[in-house]
Amino acid sequence: MGLVFDAPLGGVQMMSALFARGIWAIVAGFDRSVLQFKPGLLIDRAYCDEALARFESALEAVKGMRSGSR
């Protein structure tokens, strides 16, 4: 499962922000704008809800970094 960001290093930035929030994801080796997710097969709705909340928090942090760098 992957997610493409519009920024050339978007995947790298999200990987770092997610790691800080306890979510493991890795940037694609062929494209640093792509973030790969590798969830386990035995995940439940509660895990998904928590992961999405952490993802949203990480996304807001990365958006803040990008707007603060202009």
Side-chain angles (χ1 to χ4, degrees):
M1 200 179 336
L3 181 61
V4 179
F5 292 88
D6 62 350
L9 293 176
V12 175
Q13 293 170 324
M14 278 299 290
M15 178 179 69
S16 177
L18 286 168
F19 182 78
R21 288 158 178 80
I23 301 290
W24 186 83
I26 191 162
V27 67
F30 60 88
D31 187 342
R32 295 189 182 275
S33 70
V34 177
L35 185 68
Q36 299 178 77
F37 296 92
K38 298 182 180 189
L41 294 175
L42 301 174
I43 57 175
D44 60 9
R45 184 178 183 105
Y47 174 86
C48 292
D49 289 343
E50 180 66 25
L52 287 172
R54 292 180 189 198
F55 181 87
E56 186 175 352
S57 171
L59 188 58
E60 290 299 322
V62 169
K63 284 173 32 180
M65 289 175 13
R66 289 180 68 195
S67 65
S69 64
R70 292 183 182 176

PDB file of all heavy atoms in Angstrom, residues 3 7-10 15-16 21 23-26 28 31 33-34 36 40 47-48 54-56 60 63-67:
ATOM      1  N   LEU A   3       1.340   5.759  -0.739  1.00  0.00           N
ATOM      2  CA  LEU A   3       0.731   7.077  -0.829  1.00  0.00           C
ATOM      3  C   LEU A   3       1.746   8.014  -1.472  1.00  0.00           C
ATOM      4  O   LEU A   3       2.881   8.115  -1.001  1.00  0.00           O
ATOM      5  CB  LEU A   3       0.343   7.580   0.563  1.00  0.00           C
ATOM      6  CG  LEU A   3      -0.337   8.922   0.668  1.00  0.00           C
ATOM      7  CD1 LEU A   3      -1.662   8.927  -0.089  1.00  0.00           C
ATOM      8  CD2 LEU A   3      -0.573   9.284   2.121  1.00  0.00           C
ATOM      9  N   ALA A   7       5.117  16.764  -2.933  1.00  0.00           N
ATOM     10  CA  ALA A   7       6.468  17.265  -2.666  1.00  0.00           C
ATOM     11  C   ALA A   7       7.487  16.163  -2.972  1.00  0.00           C
ATOM     12  O   ALA A   7       7.237  14.990  -2.659  1.00  0.00           O
ATOM     13  CB  ALA A   7       6.600  17.701  -1.213  1.00  0.00           C
ATOM     14  N   PRO A   8       8.629  16.501  -3.568  1.00  0.00           N
ATOM     15  CA  PRO A   8       9.634  15.494  -3.911  1.00  0.00           C
ATOM     16  C   PRO A   8      10.111  14.656  -2.727  1.00  0.00           C
ATOM     17  O   PRO A   8      10.446  13.497  -2.888  1.00  0.00           O
ATOM     18  CB  PRO A   8      10.781  16.308  -4.499  1.00  0.00           C
ATOM     19  CG  PRO A   8      10.158  17.576  -4.970  1.00  0.00           C
ATOM     20  CD  PRO A   8       9.015  17.838  -4.035  1.00  0.00           C
ATOM     21  N   LEU A   9      10.131  15.230  -1.528  1.00  0.00           N
ATOM     22  CA  LEU A   9      10.556  14.500  -0.331  1.00  0.00           C
ATOM     23  C   LEU A   9       9.400  14.270   0.635  1.00  0.00           C
ATOM     24  O   LEU A   9       9.603  14.026   1.817  1.00  0.00           O
ATOM     25  CB  LEU A   9      11.683  15.257   0.379  1.00  0.00           C
ATOM     26  CG  LEU A   9      13.005  15.345  -0.387  1.00  0.00           C
ATOM     27  CD1 LEU A   9      14.013  16.201   0.378  1.00  0.00           C
ATOM     28  CD2 LEU A   9      13.570  13.973  -0.671  1.00  0.00           C
ATOM     29  N   GLY A  10       8.184  14.324   0.125  1.00  0.00           N
ATOM     30  CA  GLY A  10       7.006  14.158   0.971  1.00  0.00           C
ATOM     31  C   GLY A  10       6.961  12.834   1.711  1.00  0.00           C
ATOM     32  O   GLY A  10       6.578  12.767   2.876  1.00  0.00           O
ATOM     33  N   MET A  15       7.425   9.837   6.689  1.00  0.00           N
ATOM     34  CA  MET A  15       8.024   8.692   7.369  1.00  0.00           C
ATOM     35  C   MET A  15       8.553   9.124   8.730  1.00  0.00           C
ATOM     36  O   MET A  15       8.302   8.476   9.742  1.00  0.00           O
ATOM     37  CB  MET A  15       9.160   8.102   6.524  1.00  0.00           C
ATOM     38  CG  MET A  15       9.865   6.928   7.176  1.00  0.00           C
ATOM     39  SD  MET A  15      11.193   6.218   6.158  1.00  0.00           S
ATOM     40  CE  MET A  15      12.413   7.529   6.211  1.00  0.00           C
ATOM     41  N   SER A  16       9.244  10.233   8.767  1.00  0.00           N
ATOM     42  CA  SER A  16       9.807  10.744  10.017  1.00  0.00           C
ATOM     43  C   SER A  16       8.705  11.160  10.995  1.00  0.00           C
ATOM     44  O   SER A  16       8.760  10.830  12.182  1.00  0.00           O
ATOM     45  CB  SER A  16      10.723  11.931   9.717  1.00  0.00           C
ATOM     46  OG  SER A  16      11.229  12.489  10.898  1.00  0.00           O
ATOM     47  N   ARG A  21       5.342   9.327  15.920  1.00  0.00           N
ATOM     48  CA  ARG A  21       4.021   9.053  16.491  1.00  0.00           C
ATOM     49  C   ARG A  21       3.745   7.553  16.640  1.00  0.00           C
ATOM     50  O   ARG A  21       2.621   7.139  16.841  1.00  0.00           O
ATOM     51  CB  ARG A  21       2.955   9.716  15.621  1.00  0.00           C
ATOM     52  CG  ARG A  21       2.975  11.229  15.784  1.00  0.00           C
ATOM     53  CD  ARG A  21       2.346  11.944  14.604  1.00  0.00           C
ATOM     54  NE  ARG A  21       2.359  13.386  14.830  1.00  0.00           N
ATOM     55  CZ  ARG A  21       3.426  14.156  14.641  1.00  0.00           C
ATOM     56  NH1 ARG A  21       4.564  13.639  14.219  1.00  0.00           N
ATOM     57  NH2 ARG A  21       3.362  15.457  14.883  1.00  0.00           N
ATOM     58  N   ILE A  23       4.122   5.043  14.383  1.00  0.00           N
ATOM     59  CA  ILE A  23       3.646   4.318  13.210  1.00  0.00           C
ATOM     60  C   ILE A  23       4.840   4.050  12.292  1.00  0.00           C
ATOM     61  O   ILE A  23       5.573   4.969  11.934  1.00  0.00           O
ATOM     62  CB  ILE A  23       2.577   5.122  12.431  1.00  0.00           C
ATOM     63  CG1 ILE A  23       1.379   5.425  13.314  1.00  0.00           C
ATOM     64  CG2 ILE A  23       2.184   4.408  11.146  1.00  0.00           C
ATOM     65  CD1 ILE A  23       0.525   4.232  13.656  1.00  0.00           C
ATOM     66  N   TRP A  24       5.020   2.784  11.918  1.00  0.00           N
ATOM     67  CA  TRP A  24       6.116   2.423  11.034  1.00  0.00           C
ATOM     68  C   TRP A  24       5.637   2.420   9.598  1.00  0.00           C
ATOM     69  O   TRP A  24       4.694   1.722   9.238  1.00  0.00           O
ATOM     70  CB  TRP A  24       6.659   1.040  11.408  1.00  0.00           C
ATOM     71  CG  TRP A  24       7.882   0.683  10.635  1.00  0.00           C
ATOM     72  CD1 TRP A  24       9.150   1.064  10.917  1.00  0.00           C
ATOM     73  CD2 TRP A  24       7.950  -0.097   9.445  1.00  0.00           C
ATOM     74  NE1 TRP A  24      10.009   0.567   9.979  1.00  0.00           N
ATOM     75  CE2 TRP A  24       9.293  -0.163   9.053  1.00  0.00           C
ATOM     76  CE3 TRP A  24       7.004  -0.755   8.671  1.00  0.00           C
ATOM     77  CZ2 TRP A  24       9.725  -0.849   7.931  1.00  0.00           C
ATOM     78  CZ3 TRP A  24       7.432  -1.440   7.545  1.00  0.00           C
ATOM     79  CH2 TRP A  24       8.770  -1.477   7.197  1.00  0.00           C
ATOM     80  N   ALA A  25       6.284   3.232   8.797  1.00  0.00           N
ATOM     81  CA  ALA A  25       6.070   3.275   7.347  1.00  0.00           C
ATOM     82  C   ALA A  25       7.428   3.616   6.756  1.00  0.00           C
ATOM     83  O   ALA A  25       8.283   4.185   7.435  1.00  0.00           O
ATOM     84  CB  ALA A  25       5.025   4.329   6.984  1.00  0.00           C
ATOM     85  N   ILE A  26       7.639   3.286   5.507  1.00  0.00           N
ATOM     86  CA  ILE A  26       8.948   3.509   4.908  1.00  0.00           C
ATOM     87  C   ILE A  26       8.796   4.137   3.530  1.00  0.00           C
ATOM     88  O   ILE A  26       7.859   3.841   2.796  1.00  0.00           O
ATOM     89  CB  ILE A  26       9.755   2.195   4.854  1.00  0.00           C
ATOM     90  CG1 ILE A  26      11.191   2.472   4.488  1.00  0.00           C
ATOM     91  CG2 ILE A  26       9.109   1.194   3.926  1.00  0.00           C
ATOM     92  CD1 ILE A  26      12.134   1.336   4.818  1.00  0.00           C
ATOM     93  N   ALA A  28       9.533   4.758  -0.311  1.00  0.00           N
ATOM     94  CA  ALA A  28       9.842   3.841  -1.413  1.00  0.00           C
ATOM     95  C   ALA A  28      11.252   4.119  -1.914  1.00  0.00           C
ATOM     96  O   ALA A  28      11.645   5.276  -2.088  1.00  0.00           O
ATOM     97  CB  ALA A  28       8.830   4.023  -2.545  1.00  0.00           C
ATOM     98  N   ASP A  31      11.342   6.147  -5.239  1.00  0.00           N
ATOM     99  CA  ASP A  31      10.726   7.477  -5.325  1.00  0.00           C
ATOM    100  C   ASP A  31      10.496   8.007  -3.908  1.00  0.00           C
ATOM    101  O   ASP A  31       9.650   7.497  -3.182  1.00  0.00           O
ATOM    102  CB  ASP A  31       9.407   7.387  -6.082  1.00  0.00           C
ATOM    103  CG  ASP A  31       8.771   8.730  -6.371  1.00  0.00           C
ATOM    104  OD1 ASP A  31       9.148   9.743  -5.718  1.00  0.00           O
ATOM    105  OD2 ASP A  31       7.900   8.777  -7.250  1.00  0.00           O
ATOM    106  N   SER A  33       9.020  10.511  -2.897  1.00  0.00           N
ATOM    107  CA  SER A  33       7.715  11.150  -2.664  1.00  0.00           C
ATOM    108  C   SER A  33       6.650  10.113  -2.311  1.00  0.00           C
ATOM    109  O   SER A  33       5.517  10.477  -2.010  1.00  0.00           O
ATOM    110  CB  SER A  33       7.279  11.942  -3.902  1.00  0.00           C
ATOM    111  OG  SER A  33       6.938  11.076  -4.963  1.00  0.00           O
ATOM    112  N   VAL A  34       7.013   8.828  -2.334  1.00  0.00           N
ATOM    113  CA  VAL A  34       6.068   7.744  -2.070  1.00  0.00           C
ATOM    114  C   VAL A  34       6.340   7.123  -0.705  1.00  0.00           C
ATOM    115  O   VAL A  34       7.467   6.758  -0.392  1.00  0.00           O
ATOM    116  CB  VAL A  34       6.150   6.651  -3.166  1.00  0.00           C
ATOM    117  CG1 VAL A  34       5.221   5.489  -2.850  1.00  0.00           C
ATOM    118  CG2 VAL A  34       5.843   7.239  -4.530  1.00  0.00           C
ATOM    119  N   GLN A  36       5.348   3.989   1.793  1.00  0.00           N
ATOM    120  CA  GLN A  36       4.785   2.638   1.777  1.00  0.00           C
ATOM    121  C   GLN A  36       4.293   2.250   3.168  1.00  0.00           C
ATOM    122  O   GLN A  36       4.977   2.495   4.152  1.00  0.00           O
ATOM    123  CB  GLN A  36       5.846   1.631   1.353  1.00  0.00           C
ATOM    124  CG  GLN A  36       6.406   1.851  -0.018  1.00  0.00           C
ATOM    125  CD  GLN A  36       7.484   0.839  -0.316  1.00  0.00           C
ATOM    126  OE1 GLN A  36       7.184  -0.306  -0.618  1.00  0.00           O
ATOM    127  NE2 GLN A  36       8.726   1.259  -0.210  1.00  0.00           N
ATOM    128  N   GLY A  40       0.041  -5.293   9.219  1.00  0.00           N
ATOM    129  CA  GLY A  40      -0.099  -6.729   9.409  1.00  0.00           C
ATOM    130  C   GLY A  40      -1.453  -7.216   8.915  1.00  0.00           C
ATOM    131  O   GLY A  40      -2.381  -6.429   8.729  1.00  0.00           O
ATOM    132  N   TYR A  47      -7.378  -0.558  15.795  1.00  0.00           N
ATOM    133  CA  TYR A  47      -6.010  -0.262  15.352  1.00  0.00           C
ATOM    134  C   TYR A  47      -6.043   0.715  14.183  1.00  0.00           C
ATOM    135  O   TYR A  47      -5.283   1.684  14.153  1.00  0.00           O
ATOM    136  CB  TYR A  47      -5.282  -1.544  14.943  1.00  0.00           C
ATOM    137  CG  TYR A  47      -3.933  -1.269  14.336  1.00  0.00           C
ATOM    138  CD1 TYR A  47      -2.807  -1.124  15.133  1.00  0.00           C
ATOM    139  CD2 TYR A  47      -3.795  -1.111  12.959  1.00  0.00           C
ATOM    140  CE1 TYR A  47      -1.572  -0.839  14.582  1.00  0.00           C
ATOM    141  CE2 TYR A  47      -2.569  -0.825  12.397  1.00  0.00           C
ATOM    142  CZ  TYR A  47      -1.461  -0.692  13.204  1.00  0.00           C
ATOM    143  OH  TYR A  47      -0.242  -0.389  12.647  1.00  0.00           O
ATOM    144  N   CYS A  48      -6.924   0.469  13.214  1.00  0.00           N
ATOM    145  CA  CYS A  48      -7.023   1.345  12.045  1.00  0.00           C
ATOM    146  C   CYS A  48      -7.432   2.762  12.444  1.00  0.00           C
ATOM    147  O   CYS A  48      -6.875   3.740  11.932  1.00  0.00           O
ATOM    148  CB  CYS A  48      -8.001   0.776  11.027  1.00  0.00           C
ATOM    149  SG  CYS A  48      -7.417  -0.734  10.248  1.00  0.00           S
ATOM    150  N   ARG A  54      -3.219   9.058  14.173  1.00  0.00           N
ATOM    151  CA  ARG A  54      -1.787   9.393  14.213  1.00  0.00           C
ATOM    152  C   ARG A  54      -1.309   9.894  12.854  1.00  0.00           C
ATOM    153  O   ARG A  54      -0.480  10.789  12.767  1.00  0.00           O
ATOM    154  CB  ARG A  54      -0.971   8.181  14.657  1.00  0.00           C
ATOM    155  CG  ARG A  54      -1.215   7.816  16.100  1.00  0.00           C
ATOM    156  CD  ARG A  54      -0.401   6.631  16.505  1.00  0.00           C
ATOM    157  NE  ARG A  54      -0.786   6.139  17.815  1.00  0.00           N
ATOM    158  CZ  ARG A  54      -0.032   5.351  18.543  1.00  0.00           C
ATOM    159  NH1 ARG A  54       1.151   4.956  18.091  1.00  0.00           N
ATOM    160  NH2 ARG A  54      -0.440   4.950  19.723  1.00  0.00           N
ATOM    161  N   PHE A  55      -1.836   9.303  11.775  1.00  0.00           N
ATOM    162  CA  PHE A  55      -1.487   9.749  10.434  1.00  0.00           C
ATOM    163  C   PHE A  55      -1.922  11.203  10.232  1.00  0.00           C
ATOM    164  O   PHE A  55      -1.176  12.018   9.702  1.00  0.00           O
ATOM    165  CB  PHE A  55      -2.146   8.849   9.383  1.00  0.00           C
ATOM    166  CG  PHE A  55      -1.795   9.243   7.981  1.00  0.00           C
ATOM    167  CD1 PHE A  55      -0.650   8.755   7.382  1.00  0.00           C
ATOM    168  CD2 PHE A  55      -2.597  10.105   7.268  1.00  0.00           C
ATOM    169  CE1 PHE A  55      -0.310   9.128   6.089  1.00  0.00           C
ATOM    170  CE2 PHE A  55      -2.273  10.493   5.982  1.00  0.00           C
ATOM    171  CZ  PHE A  55      -1.128  10.003   5.390  1.00  0.00           C
ATOM    172  N   GLU A  56      -3.132  11.516  10.666  1.00  0.00           N
ATOM    173  CA  GLU A  56      -3.631  12.890  10.534  1.00  0.00           C
ATOM    174  C   GLU A  56      -2.749  13.863  11.307  1.00  0.00           C
ATOM    175  O   GLU A  56      -2.425  14.948  10.816  1.00  0.00           O
ATOM    176  CB  GLU A  56      -5.071  12.978  11.015  1.00  0.00           C
ATOM    177  CG  GLU A  56      -5.698  14.323  10.781  1.00  0.00           C
ATOM    178  CD  GLU A  56      -7.172  14.374  11.150  1.00  0.00           C
ATOM    179  OE1 GLU A  56      -7.763  13.324  11.455  1.00  0.00           O
ATOM    180  OE2 GLU A  56      -7.717  15.478  11.126  1.00  0.00           O
ATOM    181  N   GLU A  60      -0.529  16.925   9.591  1.00  0.00           N
ATOM    182  CA  GLU A  60      -0.598  18.322  10.027  1.00  0.00           C
ATOM    183  C   GLU A  60       0.801  18.854  10.380  1.00  0.00           C
ATOM    184  O   GLU A  60       1.123  19.994  10.064  1.00  0.00           O
ATOM    185  CB  GLU A  60      -1.542  18.471  11.224  1.00  0.00           C
ATOM    186  CG  GLU A  60      -3.000  18.258  10.870  1.00  0.00           C
ATOM    187  CD  GLU A  60      -3.521  19.250   9.839  1.00  0.00           C
ATOM    188  OE1 GLU A  60      -3.146  20.439   9.888  1.00  0.00           O
ATOM    189  OE2 GLU A  60      -4.294  18.822   8.967  1.00  0.00           O
ATOM    190  N   LYS A  63       2.642  19.446   7.088  1.00  0.00           N
ATOM    191  CA  LYS A  63       2.102  20.647   6.445  1.00  0.00           C
ATOM    192  C   LYS A  63       2.628  21.894   7.130  1.00  0.00           C
ATOM    193  O   LYS A  63       2.956  22.876   6.474  1.00  0.00           O
ATOM    194  CB  LYS A  63       0.570  20.624   6.462  1.00  0.00           C
ATOM    195  CG  LYS A  63      -0.012  19.682   5.447  1.00  0.00           C
ATOM    196  CD  LYS A  63      -1.513  19.486   5.508  1.00  0.00           C
ATOM    197  CE  LYS A  63      -2.362  20.618   5.944  1.00  0.00           C
ATOM    198  NZ  LYS A  63      -3.800  20.305   5.974  1.00  0.00           N
ATOM    199  N   GLY A  64       2.739  21.858   8.451  1.00  0.00           N
ATOM    200  CA  GLY A  64       3.281  22.990   9.204  1.00  0.00           C
ATOM    201  C   GLY A  64       4.733  23.249   8.873  1.00  0.00           C
ATOM    202  O   GLY A  64       5.164  24.395   8.773  1.00  0.00           O
ATOM    203  N   MET A  65       5.507  22.188   8.684  1.00  0.00           N
ATOM    204  CA  MET A  65       6.912  22.328   8.309  1.00  0.00           C
ATOM    205  C   MET A  65       7.036  22.984   6.936  1.00  0.00           C
ATOM    206  O   MET A  65       7.866  23.857   6.739  1.00  0.00           O
ATOM    207  CB  MET A  65       7.609  20.958   8.259  1.00  0.00           C
ATOM    208  CG  MET A  65       7.843  20.328   9.591  1.00  0.00           C
ATOM    209  SD  MET A  65       8.553  18.643   9.564  1.00  0.00           S
ATOM    210  CE  MET A  65       9.116  18.389   7.918  1.00  0.00           C
ATOM    211  N   ARG A  66       6.199  22.564   6.017  1.00  0.00           N
ATOM    212  CA  ARG A  66       6.277  23.091   4.648  1.00  0.00           C
ATOM    213  C   ARG A  66       5.845  24.551   4.591  1.00  0.00           C
ATOM    214  O   ARG A  66       6.456  25.348   3.922  1.00  0.00           O
ATOM    215  CB  ARG A  66       5.407  22.255   3.716  1.00  0.00           C
ATOM    216  CG  ARG A  66       6.024  20.874   3.488  1.00  0.00           C
ATOM    217  CD  ARG A  66       5.208  20.031   2.587  1.00  0.00           C
ATOM    218  NE  ARG A  66       5.225  20.578   1.237  1.00  0.00           N
ATOM    219  CZ  ARG A  66       4.380  20.217   0.299  1.00  0.00           C
ATOM    220  NH1 ARG A  66       3.453  19.332   0.538  1.00  0.00           N
ATOM    221  NH2 ARG A  66       4.444  20.742  -0.901  1.00  0.00           N
ATOM    222  N   SER A  67       4.798  24.920   5.330  1.00  0.00           N
ATOM    223  CA  SER A  67       4.346  26.308   5.293  1.00  0.00           C
ATOM    224  C   SER A  67       5.287  27.217   6.068  1.00  0.00           C
ATOM    225  O   SER A  67       5.449  28.382   5.739  1.00  0.00           O
ATOM    226  CB  SER A  67       2.921  26.428   5.830  1.00  0.00           C
ATOM    227  OG  SER A  67       2.876  26.081   7.210  1.00  0.00           O
TER     228      SER A  67
END
